[in-house]
Amino acid sequence: VFLDRDGTINVEREFLHRPAEFEFIPAAPQAIRLLNDAGFLVIVVTNQSGVAKGYYDESAISRLHRHLDAELARFGAAIDGYYFCPHHPEYGTGSHGKSCACRKPQAGMLLKAANDFSLDLASSYLIGDKLADVEAGLNAGCRPILVRTGYGAAESAKLPADIPVYDDLLTAVRAIIDETG
């Protein structure tokens, strides 16, 4: 199961990169643990345009992900892999200011993870709070799910009727487990 980070796992904060500002969306750690316990690999795929805009560097993302790992460990949960896109085609600077194949809605991060972990994308899910997440899942051949946390409540009106929408990560995970169980 691929998970968007901001607005799906943690409370949406613009350009989040400081561990002190990190806050889980309620029940997100429990949802990730359910996925772990059910035998799913859990992989985070996140656009991080703050790198492209020069607000923080890639090491700040690594620090935040280490913090996320430590916080999840308190719940007996774990992320198996992290993939992020540091690019932005319009607002980036230097080598990060470009169009790329990894920025969602493109499928690059999912394709790389699928290669790294030998995943069957047709049997995979992507859960996120934005239309770009849904589109990335579709572009990769995954089954996308939108959650109403983060930007999801507003974004749900833009979705085709056949895309499942759930209130939060926990209800989405329960639906996946019920479907595959």
Side-chain angles (χ1 to χ4, degrees), residues 39-109:
F40 287 96
L41 287 176
V42 180
I43 299 171
V44 170
V45 289
T46 178
N47 286 346
Q48 292 297 311
S49 65
V51 174
K53 295 176 182 182
Y55 298 159
Y56 50 90
D57 60 21
E58 293 183 24
S59 66
I61 297 169
S62 295
R63 280 190 300 279
L64 185 67
H65 290 166
R66 285 193 305 273
H67 174 75
L68 173 54
D69 286 339
E71 292 297 304
L72 284 172
R74 296 178 33 213
F75 294 90
I79 301 294
D80 295 292
Y82 291 95
Y83 293 80
F84 66 89
C85 172
H87 309 114
H88 196 285
E90 297 171 42
Y91 305 110
T93 59
S95 64
H96 294 111
K98 64 180 183 180
S99 292
C100 61
C102 57
R103 183 174 177 75
K104 294 180 289 182
Q106 303 303 316
M109 288 185 281

Side-chain angles (χ1 to χ4, degrees), residues 18-171:
R18 292 182 185 92
E21 296 173 354
F22 180 88
E23 177 185 356
F24 282 116
I25 289 173
Q30 293 86 344
I32 293 168
R33 181 173 176 174
L34 282 176
L35 290 171
N36 298 150
D37 291 348
F40 287 96
L41 287 176
V42 180
I43 299 171
V44 170
V45 289
T46 178
N47 286 346
Q48 292 297 311
S49 65
V51 174
K53 295 176 182 182
Y55 298 159
Y56 50 90
D57 60 21
E58 293 183 24
S59 66
I61 297 169
S62 295
R63 280 190 300 279
L64 185 67
H65 290 166
R66 285 193 305 273
H67 174 75
L68 173 54
D69 286 339
E71 292 297 304
L72 284 172
R74 296 178 33 213
F75 294 90
I79 301 294
D80 295 292
Y82 291 95
Y83 293 80
F84 66 89
C85 172
H87 309 114
H88 196 285
E90 297 171 42
Y91 305 110
T93 59
S95 64
H96 294 111
K98 64 180 183 180
S99 292
C100 61
C102 57
R103 183 174 177 75
K104 294 180 289 182
Q106 303 303 316
M109 288 185 281
L110 288 81
L111 297 174
K112 174 133 179 48
N115 184 59
D116 292 349
F117 286 90
S118 300
L119 302 176
D120 174 13
L121 288 169
S123 298
S124 299
Y125 296 83
L126 184 142
I127 304 172
D129 69 317
K130 291 183 180 175
L131 183 58
D133 298 316
V134 168
E135 290 172 343
L138 291 170
N139 288 335
C142 294
R143 300 172 67 184
I145 296 173
L146 187 90
V147 290
R148 290 187 183 98
T149 52
Y151 294 103
E155 294 278 284
S156 64
K158 302 174 187 175
L159 291 181
D162 61 336
I163 303 297
V165 179
Y166 294 96
D167 286 338
D168 57 21
L169 184 58
L170 183 60
T171 55

